[in-house]
């Protein structure tokens, strides 16, 4: 799941694709949501591909020459991280965290994708 909304940065860059990376619960204190924003879904897919190669390499799986080259080259994906704290809710799910994000001005009127 992710959210789609056009958000213009102060530097003029437009971010359109937003996803929750992590939902952390600090018992009886707060819930912390980490959301990453990308120019578009294609940029997120590039990040996913690179992460897959990293996992494969870390697990000692054989990489093709092309995969080794791709891993060595790295990625050039613009990611903006957003850290949001909310009241502690031991039962909050990722889906509920997305619903919470949509109540914030920054993500208001986002579309589920």
């Amino acid at each position: 799941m992710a959210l789609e909304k056009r958000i213009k940065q102060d530097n003029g860059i437009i971010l359109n694709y937003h996803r929750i990376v992590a939902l952390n619960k600090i018992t009886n204190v707060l819930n912390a949501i980490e959301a990453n924003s990308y120019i578009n879904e294609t940029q997120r897919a590039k990040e996913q591909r690179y992460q897959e190669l990293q996992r494969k390499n870390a697990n000692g799986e054989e990489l093709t020459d092309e995969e080794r080259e791709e891993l060595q080259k790295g990625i050039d994906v613009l990611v903006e991280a957003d850290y949001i704290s909310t009241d502690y809710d031991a039962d909050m799910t990722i889906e509920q965290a997305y619903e919470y994000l949509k109540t914030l001005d920054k993500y208001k009127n986002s579309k589920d994708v």
Side-chain angles (χ1 to χ4, degrees):
M1 179 175 189
L3 299 175
E4 184 177 80
K5 180 181 179 184
R6 184 180 192 276
I7 298 173
K8 186 174 182 178
Q9 300 290 295
D10 290 339
N11 61 8
I13 293 174
I14 308 288
L15 303 173
N16 291 292
Y17 186 84
H18 319 278
R19 74 179 188 97
I20 292 177
V21 175
L23 170 60
N24 296 303
K25 300 172 187 176
I26 302 172
T27 306
N28 297 323
V29 178
L30 60 84
N31 286 5
I33 303 167
E34 180 182 352
N36 281 358
S37 295
Y38 306 82
I39 293 172
N40 56 37
E41 191 171 357
T42 302
Q43 295 300 300
R44 167 60 182 138
K46 284 173 63 175
E47 180 187 55
Q48 281 180 301
R49 169 69 178 154
Y50 189 74
Q51 290 169 335
E52 287 173 29
L53 292 176
Q54 286 179 312
R55 279 191 292 276
K56 194 173 175 182
N57 188 53
N59 290 334
E61 297 176 38
E62 182 119 7
L63 297 173
T64 66
D65 289 341
E66 292 81 17
E67 288 174 329
R68 272 193 294 282
E69 187 176 314
E70 194 176 339
L71 188 59
Q72 187 175 15
K73 181 181 171 188
I75 57 171
D76 61 348
V77 174
L78 172 72
V79 178
E80 178 185 279
D82 197 6
Y83 302 94
I84 301 115
S85 296
T86 185
D87 292 337
Y88 177 70
D89 178 354
D91 299 321
M92 181 181 271
T93 64
I94 293 293
E95 292 80 9
Q96 291 168 326
Y98 274 108
E99 291 305 314
Y100 176 76
L101 287 183
K102 291 190 288 185
T103 69
L104 304 175
D105 286 342
K106 181 174 183 176
Y107 301 100
K108 194 169 277 199
N109 300 318
S110 295
K111 182 175 98 176
D112 293 340
V113 290

